[in-house]
Amino acid sequence: MSEFRIEKDSMGDVQVPAQAYYGAQTQRAVENFPVSGWPLHKDLIHAMGIVKYACGVANRDLMKLQDTGKVRLNAKQIDAMLAAAKEVAAGKFDGEFPIDVFQTGSGTSSNMNANEVIANRAIEILGGDRFSKDKPVHPNDHVNMGQSTNDTFPTAIHVAVAVSIRKTLIPALKRFEDVLSRKAKEWDKIIKIGRTHLADATPLRLGQEFGGFARQLTLSIERAERALTSVLELPVGGTAVGSGINTHPEFGHRVAESVAGETGIPFVEAVNHFEGNAQRDGLVECHGELKAIATTLFNVSNNIRWLGSGPRCGFYEIKLPDRQPGSSIMPGKVNPVMCESMMQVCARVIGNDGCLTLSGAAGGNFQLNIMMPVMGQTTLESIMLLTGATNAFVEFCAEEMEANEEACVASVEKSLSMVTSLNPHIGYEKASALAKEAFKSGKTIRELCTEQKILPEDVLEAALDPFSMTEPQA
């Protein structure tokens, strides 16, 4: 059998790998864009399958395919096309999408890739020869009916992003929130010293500190939900420029309804198709929420890294699990590798937000944004990275963290900020002088107060009770 077959499109003949399900337009794009070697994210490929399926259902239900004077398909052809789209959505043809991410800015090449794969697979399902020049299912006339790349490709991006957030990112964040909340409860009675400006501050409880981290994750979950909400409007139905030319007035609504049914996510038709086609502001907003989540995860993991520093010359208030040897030259050294991995991921996501911002602002000219493939790919990358790093951090670090109560308690009594609780008794100026004297002499605040009989013993004991300093006092 020959290594290639000849396919034809409006520009002429093209050599295509003999067994490929894609055709001429896909092959042209493969040859035109040998840029990164990065194919489309698999979630976007699957979303294109979902969208093509929904478009086929809408066309069937609107009876457009049977209208006199228009392209006609029988029920078997329609069913075969829908079955093929379902297979793409299920990931059975991921290897048939070879086009580089950095392609035509509308995503036309990838849209045609999907059309060609679905058409040829539908022919095969019908028992026909997908290599024949006489094709009973046509990529443009049938699979792409009522559509343009300009409305279906951004629709697929929105679907892929929303599904990925719902299925992967939100569960990962909830898992992390749960672990931090449990640690907060377990460590609620452990007193430690607070730090502001990386300098000693008043006492708090280790559980309170981790309760603050847990709240950061709660807010991150809310941000992820807002990120999902920002991409619920689907541009499909606007076709080339937003006018809806060559499609039924109900097409967009029906497709959105079908996609919602397939995914369980409440997608809706774009309120204004000219905005829906031309602007990707919703995607920029979505990634802005992802950037905020990355900022939180960086902060939490970095704080945990600091708290676990040591073991002898750092804080070492929590014990991080040993994951691997930390040095090629220093025997026995163990590093906070999971924290570092998370921080790198977050840095990447924060950087990705610049790509989304520039693409949304400068790439949308008149009726079309021409930066869509990189916007979709980058957003999906950010979701994937945040999900993977969060799950790994929970499994290999957060779950196994232990409190070092001895180190926590030891630092409290040494802190000069213990003097803060004496302000109501002796005033700020005298308390400040006491702190300076304690630092100079190397003595604790308690020792100096006892020596100098600053307060009656029972009053001093109550005032310097670390636990009472961790809550408001009446």
Side-chain angles (χ1 to χ4, degrees):
M1 182 177 290
S2 173
E3 187 177 355
F4 297 98
R5 70 178 193 271
I6 302 299
E7 289 274 346
K8 180 177 289 189
D9 62 11
S10 60
M11 296 181 68
D13 292 347
V14 182
Q15 274 194 335
V16 178
Q19 297 304 310
Y21 280 84
Y22 58 80
Q25 293 199 45
T26 300
Q27 184 60 33
R28 288 192 191 280
V30 169
E31 295 170 4
N32 286 338
F33 306 113
V35 180
S36 67
W38 303 341
L40 285 192
H41 195 286
K42 62 181 177 60
D43 289 351
L44 182 50
I45 295 171
H46 304 163
M48 286 196 292
I50 292 171
V51 172
K52 292 296 177 181
Y53 173 84
C55 288
V57 169
N59 278 323
R60 179 197 66 193
D61 294 346
L62 289 165
M63 302 297 289
K64 184 171 183 178
L65 299 180
Q66 285 76 39
D67 285 350
T68 303
K70 296 181 180 178
V71 177
R72 300 177 65 84
L73 285 175
N74 60 43
K76 289 184 178 180
Q77 289 170 314
I78 295 170
D79 289 344
M81 202 164 58
L82 295 179
K86 279 277 196 179
E87 290 180 342
V88 170
K92 293 184 178 180
F93 289 94
D94 290 357
E96 295 291 325
F97 288 81
I99 301 172
D100 202 275
V101 169
F102 300 100
Q103 54 173 280
T104 174
S106 61
T108 298
S109 299
S110 288
N111 182 46
M112 278 308 305
N113 190 168
N115 291 336
E116 289 173 343
V117 170
I118 291 170
N120 282 327
R121 175 56 181 150
I123 292 168
E124 193 173 62
I125 290 171
L126 288 168
D129 181 5
R130 61 187 172 90
F131 303 128
S132 170
K133 293 182 180 180
D134 183 21
K135 296 182 181 292
V137 180
H138 193 277
N140 294 79
D141 293 337
H142 303 143
V143 182
N144 201 61
M145 178 170 283
Q147 307 153 54
S148 165
T149 297
N150 300 349
D151 65 338
T152 55
F153 192 70
T155 293
I157 292 174
H158 283 211
V159 172
V161 166
V163 168
S164 188
I165 291 172
R166 172 70 62 85
K167 288 188 174 181
T168 65
L169 181 58
I170 290 177
L173 294 174
K174 286 183 175 178
R175 184 183 175 198
F176 195 9
E177 176 197 40
D178 179 66
V179 171
L180 292 174
S181 295
R182 283 193 282 109
K183 297 295 183 183
K185 291 178 181 177
E186 290 172 14
W187 300 341
D188 186 54
K189 302 301 182 183
I190 300 175
I191 306 294
K192 57 158 286 179
I193 201 64
R195 296 180 183 89
T196 57
H197 304 268
L198 288 180
D200 300 347
T202 56
L204 74 160
R205 304 196 295 274
L206 187 61
Q208 290 174 320
E209 190 165 42
F210 272 77
F213 297 158
R215 175 61 179 166
Q216 286 182 268
L217 266 294
T218 302
L219 294 173
S220 290
I221 294 165
E222 293 176 7
R223 291 183 181 110
E225 290 168 346
R226 287 198 296 272
L228 190 157
T229 300
S230 67
V231 294
L232 290 181
E233 283 195 28
L234 302 183
V236 66
T239 62
V241 298
S243 65
I245 186 173
N246 286 355
T247 198
H248 193 283
E250 294 184 20
F251 184 76
H253 166 71
R254 287 175 176 266
V255 172
E257 193 174 61
S258 181
V259 172
E262 289 294 311
T263 61
I265 297 172
F267 292 106
V268 294
E269 180 184 9
V271 173
N272 182 297
H273 281 287
F274 296 97
E275 183 278 333
N277 269 39
Q279 304 303 327
R280 300 272 63 81
D281 294 344
L283 206 57
V284 174
E285 178 184 356
C286 173
H287 201 280
E289 299 287 0
L290 298 179
K291 180 184 73 171
I293 293 168
T295 302
T296 289
L297 294 176
F298 189 108
N299 177 266
V300 171
S301 57
N302 194 30
N303 274 311
I304 288 173
R305 182 176 73 101
W306 274 98
L307 292 173
S309 62
R312 290 191 174 179
C313 301
F315 297 139
Y316 202 47
E317 293 176 349
I318 59 172
K319 301 175 183 178
L320 303 181
D322 294 347
R323 302 308 316 178
Q324 61 191 58
S327 175
S328 61
I329 189 172
M330 294 175 279
K333 189 174 188 291
V334 180
N335 298 329
V337 293
M338 301 313 300
C339 299
E340 293 166 1
S341 173
M342 174 74 88
M343 291 161 67
Q344 291 177 76
V345 160
C346 293
R348 173 69 177 220
V349 172
I350 291 167
N352 280 352
D353 196 63
C355 174
L356 266 291
T357 302
L358 179 61
S359 297
N365 304 123
F366 304 111
Q367 280 70 59
L368 183 68
N369 182 291
I370 50 79
M371 303 286 281
M372 287 194 285
V374 74
M375 292 182 81
Q377 189 84 358
T378 302
T379 304
L380 289 167
E381 180 195 81
S382 291
I383 296 167
M384 175 195 71
L385 289 173
L386 290 173
T387 299
T390 300
N391 281 330
F393 190 86
V394 170
E395 183 172 356
F396 300 121
C397 182
E399 287 277 11
E400 299 179 36
M401 291 186 301
E402 297 178 6
N404 185 354
E405 186 170 0
E406 183 180 350
C408 289
V409 172
S411 66
V412 173
E413 193 65 23
K414 292 186 294 184
S415 172
L416 301 179
S417 291
M418 287 284 282
V419 78
T420 304
S421 65
L422 300 181
N423 283 357
H425 300 278
I426 63 176
Y428 182 91
E429 297 299 334
K430 191 171 183 179
S432 179
L434 197 62
K436 291 178 181 179
E437 185 180 352
F439 180 67
K440 185 177 180 179
S441 67
K443 296 178 180 180
T444 68
I445 296 296
R446 190 185 302 275
E447 287 171 340
L448 276 182
C449 288
T450 301
E451 288 177 5
Q452 299 178 17
K453 301 186 185 304
I454 297 293
L455 290 170
E457 187 175 335
D458 58 334
V459 176
L460 181 65
E461 188 69 23
L464 295 182
D465 174 22
F467 196 91
S468 70
M469 300 181 195
T470 66
E471 294 177 346
Q473 299 298 313

